[in-house]
Amino acid sequence: MASATVPARTSKFKGERHMFSTSDDNAMLNQIRATHAPDGREIDVKPLLQVIDDIFHLAAPTIPGTAEGTQAQTDMLDSKAFQSSFSDIMELLAYTISKISCEISCKCSGGGDAHATTLAVFNMLSSYSWDTKVVLVLAAFSVYYGEFWLVAQLYLTNPLAKSVAILKQLPEIMERSDYLKPKYEAISSLIRAGLSVTRCIVEFKDLPAQYITHDTPAYEAATSLIPTAAYWTIRSIVACASQIMGLLGMSHEYIASTTEAWEISSLAHKVGNIHDHLMKQLALCYHHIDEKKQMEAYQILVRLFETPQLDNMKILKALITTKEDQMALIDGSTKKTVSIEVLRRKNVLLLISDLELSHEELSILDQMYQESRQYPTRAESQYEVVWLPVDSTPWNETKQKQFEYLQSMMLWYSVPHPSLLDRAVIRYIKEVWHFNQKPLLVVLDTLGRVVNPNAIHMMWIWGSQAFPFTSAREEALWKEETWRIELLADTIEPLIFTWIQQNKYICLYGGEDMEWIRNITTRVKTVAQEAGIPLEMLYVGKSNLKEKVRKNNSIILAENLSHTLPDVTLTWFFWARLESMWHSKAQHGKSAENDAITQEIVTMLSFDGSDQGWAVISRGSAEIAKAKGDTILSCLNEFGKWKEEVGLIGFVQALNDHLQKLRTPHHCNRLILPGSTGNIPERVVCAECGRPMEKFLMYRCCTD
């Protein structure tokens, strides 16, 4: 009898190959959809799927996971919460699972057609959703499969299992396990593929409706594939059941056919392809959901800043902590993790930068911060700084080291890692606060209100004196200012303040050509001696030429030509302050056309943009003369022509008068401003003649 059934079973599998064609798939799909008439019941099948998964992992040594996670799975099954939810599900579904098991057993035992058996199962489950159908069939098969392997694993040690095994011919099957290995592996592979597709189908069912709708393209594509996926998964389960039952009914002489193993492998390949396609659609769905969540988080952030707060905690937690973790900051002074509560009801300056924060910027900020900490009770010291490092590109070891280096140099607070900044926060920083490479210093008051979207310019110009860093404070500080040597440079070099007190003339000069530097320093000293005036000279170099300025400083000091700034960082700061002055004025609607200080700032920046040197000579706060290198040198060389005027109107005024005579209508002034600040005006006039300047784009890579 047994030998007579084997050929029939083998021919049945040979006949299954035609079912992989597209036309048959379409016909099959129409049949399956015709059986689908869900009654609207919502059943959470995940607990049942957990048990099924556990059975397949523990059943046979050929399925991965037998040795791993067993204790965790056992703990999960023993938990009261799981048992409670699972008990409710089984009361509802136990009878149906039993019916499916009987249907599959009867049809497979009789050597029935696999498609007909699958269709019969779908008819039984017409009132259930697609995910529930597949899980119920898996559950029915897992009972049979689990019982088979339970007896196989225990029959050598358990008398009851041994008796059952004898009736099932299991000892004979186990004796020929080497011959049956291809079959076991093929079945295991197909079970894994079916489980993977089932998880996908369940996962699609659980996608949050508030973030994804049925008309979303990725969701639509997946939905159209799910009936096919359900069919081939259940069809695969029927094939596995047929194979297991075939083992019990085969003769002693039967040797496992490689053709049978191939048929099962072909099913596994087909189901695997379906799984890959579902996973792609699932990934697209999750991307869509993530975008929706990020949009929601962004809108929440926008509304939060628009809503009056009792203190600054909600705002800060929304920006800095993405979870319930309150230990969200690193204290730069101790390098220990601290609670965000340390910022409650304090003025907070958010230092926002990428990982390219320069040594110069960090050094000057550190100096200003330390100065503010020396007098902690002063009003202008009542603020805290928090670094928010923004990096949206793939993370690597180089970036990690750069981040750790920058963080180690900071005495103020910082977030533990850039990845802790939520994407919605980064979007807000870029879109609302207009962060674009250049560091920002966003000021939040004690209630979390933004009182200045970028106080970096105020900090560079006035330091902590600009506290509380509001736009009104900025305007008030400018009203107190005039164009004087103190505004230009006394925060850079303390000696300037001493020279002013000593009533000395001061000459600031810059440029990169050492020959011109030698000529100007020699001529200025000679003229000062002839005019009988006390004069000091200070070289402030040129922006973005650090190494060249460093070399010039060494030569100037070696040849005793003049004073230099003690560090090239201060040279950078001199020009950064001038740029900040320009931006600060521009924020208040000031330009070279309507504001005298802005006109002087533009002139200084034009000096730096030229190929020549330049010089500014002043006495006290009110008297200032300035000119480009060739012009100032020519004027000094002609000192004999205006020497007599010095005694009548003063040295600086006489110098200015003669400079005016030397100026010609022909000139070429260049104003170079950083292009990543986001607020470059369309119209800038020349500080010398008042005509609109032409606008060009310049790309520079300066490795000096």
Side-chain angles (χ1 to χ4, degrees):
M1 286 288 284
S3 59
T5 61
V6 174
R9 188 168 57 250
T10 304
S11 62
K12 174 172 72 72
F13 276 108
K14 286 181 180 178
E16 285 185 348
R17 296 184 187 182
H18 71 91
M19 292 188 180
F20 292 92
S21 67
T22 304
S23 59
D24 284 336
D25 266 6
N26 290 335
M28 168 274 296
L29 187 58
N30 290 333
Q31 283 184 304
I32 297 307
R33 281 180 170 158
T35 69
H36 189 57
D39 58 13
R41 283 180 296 176
E42 293 293 332
I43 301 173
D44 182 11
V45 294
K46 291 190 293 297
L48 182 55
L49 189 58
Q50 282 181 307
V51 175
I52 294 166
D53 196 51
D54 194 50
I55 290 171
F56 287 132
H57 275 76
L58 295 172
T62 53
I63 299 179
T66 301
E68 295 181 7
T70 303
Q71 186 58 49
Q73 291 163 348
T74 303
D75 291 343
M76 180 272 294
L77 294 175
D78 288 341
S79 69
K80 290 183 179 179
F82 178 84
Q83 288 181 2
S84 175
S85 63
F86 189 70
S87 176
D88 294 339
I89 293 171
M90 289 310 296
E91 280 186 23
L92 183 66
L93 301 176
Y95 177 68
T96 304
I97 292 171
S98 180
K99 278 179 64 180
I100 298 167
S101 184
C102 291
E103 180 72 17
I104 292 175
S105 297
C106 292
K107 292 287 174 66
C108 291
S109 299
D113 178 68
H115 172 67
T117 303
T118 305
L119 194 60
V121 171
F122 271 105
N123 280 313
M124 287 178 61
L125 301 173
S126 60
S127 63
Y128 294 98
S129 60
W130 293 111
D131 63 313
T132 306
K133 292 180 202 287
V134 181
V135 172
L136 286 174
V137 178
L138 265 177
F141 173 65
S142 69
V143 173
Y144 181 81
Y145 189 76
E147 287 174 350
F148 174 85
W149 281 107
L150 186 63
V151 174
Q153 290 172 5
L154 296 178
Y155 82 95
L156 291 175
T157 58
N158 186 292
L160 177 59
K162 185 175 182 179
S163 299
V164 174
I166 291 170
L167 293 178
K168 288 180 175 286
Q169 294 183 290
L170 276 177
E172 296 181 17
I173 295 171
M174 294 298 114
E175 285 173 8
R176 288 171 286 159
S177 58
D178 289 342
Y179 295 106
L180 295 172
K181 186 177 180 182
K183 184 187 291 285
Y184 293 152
E185 290 178 349
I187 293 172
S188 297
S189 177
L190 186 52
I191 289 172
R192 286 196 299 272
L195 269 172
S196 297
V197 170
T198 303
R199 291 191 196 100
C200 272
I201 295 172
V202 172
E203 209 167 337
F204 271 109
K205 178 71 176 299
D206 287 343
L207 291 177
Q210 68 268 38
Y211 297 116
I212 191 165
T213 56
H214 290 180
D215 59 355
T216 305
Y219 193 90
E220 272 190 321
T223 302
S224 65
L225 182 62
I226 282 174
T228 303
Y231 172 82
W232 285 108
T233 302
I234 293 175
R235 172 70 173 272
S236 298
I237 294 165
V238 169
C240 290
S242 181
Q243 288 288 301
I244 296 297
M245 291 175 188
L247 288 174
L248 300 177
M250 73 182 183
S251 69
H252 182 77
E253 294 80 16
Y254 176 74
I255 299 175
S257 167
T258 54
T259 303
E260 292 180 16
W262 182 88
E263 295 290 357
I264 294 294
S265 297
S266 298
L267 273 173
H269 179 71
K270 184 176 186 71
V271 175
N273 285 339
I274 292 172
H275 172 256
D276 291 343
H277 190 73
L278 283 176
M279 285 300 291
K280 288 178 184 176
Q281 299 307 312
L282 196 58
L284 291 173
C285 286
Y286 278 126
H287 177 74
H288 178 86
I289 291 166
D290 188 51
E291 290 296 318
K292 289 285 188 181
K293 286 183 176 180
Q294 290 301 323
M295 175 64 77
E296 182 182 68
Y298 175 77
Q299 294 298 335
I300 289 172
L301 203 56
V302 169
R303 288 193 295 271
L304 192 60
F305 274 100
E306 292 172 349
T307 306
Q309 305 291 325
L310 295 175
D311 59 24
N312 58 0
M313 280 293 98
K314 272 191 179 180
I315 296 288
L316 290 173
K317 287 176 181 178
L319 290 172
I320 297 171
T321 57
T322 56
K323 298 178 182 177
E324 294 302 315
D325 182 13
Q326 297 301 302
M327 305 299 283
L329 296 172
I330 301 294
D331 185 339
S333 61
T334 64
K335 307 305 177 189
K336 293 182 179 179
T337 308
V338 296
S339 167
I340 198 170
E341 287 291 329
V342 298
L343 302 176
R344 183 180 289 275
R345 290 194 173 276
K346 290 187 178 181
N347 295 283
V348 177
L349 276 58
L350 301 174
L351 173 60
I352 301 169
S353 79
D354 56 20
L355 299 182
E356 300 301 319
L357 187 65
S358 71
H359 167 76
E360 291 81 7
E361 289 166 324
L362 191 54
S363 177
I364 298 300
L365 277 170
D366 179 70
Q367 180 181 326
M368 292 180 172
Y369 182 78
Q370 290 200 59
E371 286 175 1
S372 72
R373 301 302 104 168
Q374 288 176 3
Y375 305 99
T377 58
R378 292 192 312 189
E380 57 264 35
S381 299
Q382 304 308 305
Y383 66 87
E384 297 292 347
V385 178
V386 179
W387 181 40
L388 303 184
V390 174
D391 188 281
S392 305
T393 56
W395 199 251
N396 55 42
E397 188 177 347
T398 302
K399 287 187 175 185
Q400 181 65 28
K401 288 180 179 178
Q402 178 68 2
F403 167 70
E404 290 172 357
Y405 166 75
L406 290 172
Q407 193 176 53
S408 70
M409 299 293 289
M410 296 176 179
L411 293 177
W412 47 84
Y413 297 107
S414 63
V415 296
H417 198 272
S419 61
L420 295 178
L421 287 183
D422 191 70
R423 279 172 49 207
V425 172
I426 293 174
R427 179 185 171 189
Y428 190 91
I429 287 170
K430 290 181 177 180
E431 293 187 10
V432 178
W433 293 337
H434 307 296
F435 170 71
N436 183 15
Q437 295 182 314
K438 284 284 187 179
L440 296 181
L441 208 56
V442 179
V443 184
L444 306 180
D445 68 7
T446 57
L447 298 180
R449 295 174 298 195
V450 177
V451 295
N452 194 330
N454 190 13
I456 196 81
H457 304 308
M458 293 181 72
M459 184 65 86
W460 283 167
I461 301 165
W462 296 289
S464 296
Q465 186 185 348
F467 181 84
F469 306 103
T470 62
S471 182
R473 177 60 176 159
E474 186 174 25
E475 197 167 356
L477 286 168
W478 276 125
K479 284 181 179 178
E480 297 171 7
E481 290 289 2
T482 57
W483 185 249
R484 54 202 177 102
I485 199 71
E486 294 98 316
L487 175 63
L488 184 60
D490 79 339
T491 57
I492 307 297
E493 175 52 78
L495 275 175
I496 289 177
F497 182 72
T498 304
W499 294 339
I500 293 172
Q501 285 188 319
Q502 293 171 350
N503 204 29
K504 288 184 176 182
Y505 288 81
I506 299 168
C507 175
L508 300 181
Y509 70 101
E512 56 180 304
D513 182 7
M514 268 311 302
E515 194 57 38
W516 179 85
I517 289 171
R518 290 187 179 98
N519 290 337
I520 193 68
T521 51
T522 300
R523 194 60 195 147
V524 167
K525 289 176 183 177
T526 300
V527 169
Q529 190 173 6
E530 290 180 20
I533 60 172
L535 182 140
E536 299 287 350
M537 297 187 72
L538 177 65
Y539 175 65
V540 294
K542 191 175 178 69
S543 67
N544 296 307
L545 290 177
K546 185 164 63 174
E547 291 307 315
K548 182 66 175 176
V549 170
R550 184 180 280 115
K551 290 177 183 176
N552 286 355
N553 282 346
S554 299
I555 295 170
I556 290 167
L557 292 176
E559 297 180 12
N560 198 26
L561 300 178
S562 75
H563 295 279
T564 64
L565 294 172
D567 193 306
V568 289
T569 297
L570 294 173
T571 300
W572 170 86
F573 188 42
F574 176 83
W575 295 107
R577 281 186 77 247
L578 278 166
E579 282 184 8
S580 287
M581 290 180 198
W582 184 86
H583 287 297
S584 176
K585 282 287 189 179
Q587 285 174 359
H588 289 271
K590 304 299 182 182
S591 68
E593 295 175 277
N594 59 25
D595 184 74
I597 293 179
T598 305
Q599 186 176 16
E600 299 293 347
I601 293 167
V602 170
T603 300
M604 291 298 300
L605 292 173
S606 298
F607 285 167
D608 188 52
S610 73
D611 296 324
Q612 299 183 39
W614 57 271
V616 171
I617 297 176
S618 75
R619 184 189 184 192
S621 295
E623 300 178 86
I624 296 183
K626 61 190 179 302
K628 287 183 181 177
D630 291 346
T631 307
I632 192 76
L633 198 54
S634 297
C635 185
L636 293 173
N637 285 334
E638 295 178 1
F639 179 60
K641 295 181 180 180
W642 52 278
K643 183 176 181 180
E644 292 182 3
E645 296 295 316
V646 173
L648 299 174
I649 59 177
F651 182 82
V652 175
Q653 186 60 53
L655 175 62
N656 264 328
D657 289 350
H658 198 71
L659 283 171
Q660 193 62 38
K661 293 175 184 178
L662 294 176
R663 288 192 175 100
T664 65
H666 305 290
H667 61 269
C668 182
N669 292 333
R670 286 181 294 181
L671 176 64
I672 300 175
L673 296 168
S676 60
T677 54
N679 59 352
I680 302 299
E682 286 298 317
R683 187 174 186 272
V684 176
V685 300
C686 175
E688 189 168 339
C689 67
R691 289 183 298 184
M693 300 180 80
E694 290 183 274
K695 186 177 180 180
F696 295 89
L697 289 175
M698 183 181 75
Y699 298 91
R700 177 172 60 189
C701 176
C702 188
T703 57
D704 187 357

